[in-house]
Amino acid sequence: FFFQAEDGIRDDLVTGVQTCALPICRATPLRNLPAGFPLPLIDPVHLLWWGPARLLGPILTWNLGIAFDVALAAIGAWVLAREVGAGRAGATVGAVAAACAPFLGGMLEFSISEAWPTGWLALHAAALLRLSRTNAPRDAVAAGASLSAFLLSGWYHVAFAAVAEVSLLTVLAVRNRRAALLALGAGAVATLPLLPLWRQTQAHAEIWAPRLSSLTRAETYADWAVNPRFGTDLLNLFVPHLDAVPLARTVYVGLAVLVLALLGLARPAGRVLFALAVPLYVLALGHWLRVAGDPVGGLGPLPAGWLVGTFPTARAISQWYRAAGPASVFLIGAASVGASVLLERRPRWTWLL
């Protein structure tokens, strides 16, 4: 429902607001508007806020969407942290970390709106874990609704949600088989809204054909720090890059968050959340494991490379680094647990966190 103008959406140095967001629902000529084929709506979940706000104008509506998804990330992190036993201070640390996550900030600057709503995944995980305790149908409904919202944020999130859901359902099956069955039913219903979108996408598959990517070669990338081709470099997860770049495609986890997540391993909940993050971060590394741009010798393709080589549908994913967004949901959850552990041992450090 927004199509970027030629210069994209960038901060205006005079007004301080983001400009150049143009709605495509009008019949008037617009710059850079594609003609001759339908433009599918990639992230229909954003109609939740765009619909009521559209009378305010496209620029303000776009910025309200940013505020909505940042708030959603914070709320989701808070709810997940509290569900796994983190204290109020620890949950606050998680909420701030989620709202200020480098990945989310980069995607906001990049204007990739389908990568913003990671908070839905946090709410979904919290609902599933609560379901494992209560077996309550309302928690199954909450899990299904939040999963559906996350899936409707884009096809990339559909793929990453499939990986996260396998891990989450495994946790549920170990804890409570009845809850796992309820979650399966809720998940099946949650996918139904995707069917018309899938038919629309398949009806115009030729539009996406040029973007399909086969398994790449294990080559050296000199620009590994700023250009995550078919996956990010391992060092990008741990090393911040402070240079100005045209497009901020960062996967940096944040050293403070990482340290707190490691402290969270002292508790079972922290270990579970940390384990949930690992498969998604591995996917974010893409086809091959690279360190400082150089492929690590002796290793075959990583899981993303295997998926691309095995399943034709997976070739539609080229920006594997975006799996770091959903992964950060679970890492930040583990960091919330770690913050609670730290504050229990050092209560006077509350002001520091």
Side-chain angles (χ1 to χ4, degrees):
F1 58 95
F2 279 117
F3 198 84
Q4 298 178 23
E6 293 173 359
D7 297 329
I9 298 173
R10 292 292 181 267
D11 288 338
D12 188 295
L13 297 179
V14 177
T15 64
V17 299
Q18 291 187 327
T19 58
C20 297
L22 300 176
I24 63 171
C25 55
R26 300 176 184 173
T28 54
L30 297 174
R31 289 190 301 165
N32 215 26
L33 181 65
F37 62 87
L39 182 66
L41 181 59
I42 296 177
D43 49 348
V45 69
H46 282 127
L47 291 173
L48 291 173
W49 55 259
W50 181 78
R54 65 192 180 113
L55 297 178
L56 301 176
I59 296 174
L60 183 56
T61 301
W62 179 266
N63 285 283
L64 285 174
I66 291 175
F68 178 90
D69 282 321
V70 171
L72 178 66
I75 294 170
W78 168 274
V79 173
L80 178 58
R82 295 293 283 165
E83 175 58 35
V84 298
R88 293 178 64 87
T92 300
V93 170
V96 173
C100 303
F103 175 85
L104 179 57
M107 291 297 98
L108 292 173
E109 191 278 336
F110 196 180
S111 305
I112 304 298
S113 58
E114 65 265 30
W116 300 350
T118 54
W120 291 117
L121 180 61
L123 293 174
H124 172 65
L128 283 183
L129 295 174
R130 187 165 56 252
L131 178 63
S132 70
R133 292 189 295 103
T134 66
N135 283 329
R138 67 176 181 275
D139 292 327
V141 171
S146 51
L147 176 60
S148 185
F150 185 68
L151 297 178
L152 290 173
S153 60
W155 291 113
Y156 272 60
H157 278 179
V158 172
F160 301 147
V163 176
E165 201 68 6
V166 169
S167 302
L168 285 166
L169 289 176
T170 301
V171 173
L172 256 67
V174 171
R175 294 183 177 183
N176 187 333
R177 291 185 178 181
R178 184 172 182 272
L181 291 175
L182 285 172
L184 276 173
V189 174
T191 61
L192 294 179
L194 292 176
L195 296 180
L197 297 177
W198 176 255
R199 287 198 297 268
Q200 181 189 32
T201 302
Q202 289 300 105
H204 305 284
E206 69 280 359
I207 299 175
W208 312 108
R211 303 189 65 177
L212 299 181
S213 59
S214 301
L215 180 63
T216 58
R217 293 185 297 175
E219 300 174 326
T220 297
Y221 292 157
D223 56 349
W224 59 272
V226 296
N227 190 3
R229 291 190 206 78
F230 305 104
T232 190
D233 192 282
L234 180 64
L235 290 185
N236 285 331
L237 295 175
F238 310 109
V239 179
H241 300 282
L242 305 181
D243 297 334
V245 294
L247 300 173
R249 293 173 288 186
T250 180
V251 297
Y252 178 55
V253 300
L255 294 183
V257 168
L258 180 60
V259 169
L260 290 174
L262 292 175
L263 288 175
L265 296 177
R267 289 186 180 175
R271 292 193 290 271
V272 168
L273 290 171
F274 196 95
L276 290 170
V278 170
L280 289 165
Y281 275 122
V282 172
L283 276 185
L285 297 176
H287 296 182
W288 304 92
L289 178 61
R290 290 184 174 85
V291 178
D294 295 321
V296 177
L299 291 179
L302 292 177
W306 178 82
L307 288 171
V308 168
T310 306
F311 301 101
T313 304
R315 296 174 187 170
I317 301 178
S318 58
Q319 311 298 321
W320 288 97
Y321 76 93
R322 290 192 201 169
S328 68
V329 167
F330 300 112
L331 189 71
I332 289 171
S336 299
V337 176
S340 294
V341 171
L342 180 61
L343 292 175
E344 288 178 4
R345 299 175 182 176
R346 299 286 189 273
R348 295 182 179 180
W349 288 18
T350 302
W351 64 272
L352 178 62
L353 290 180

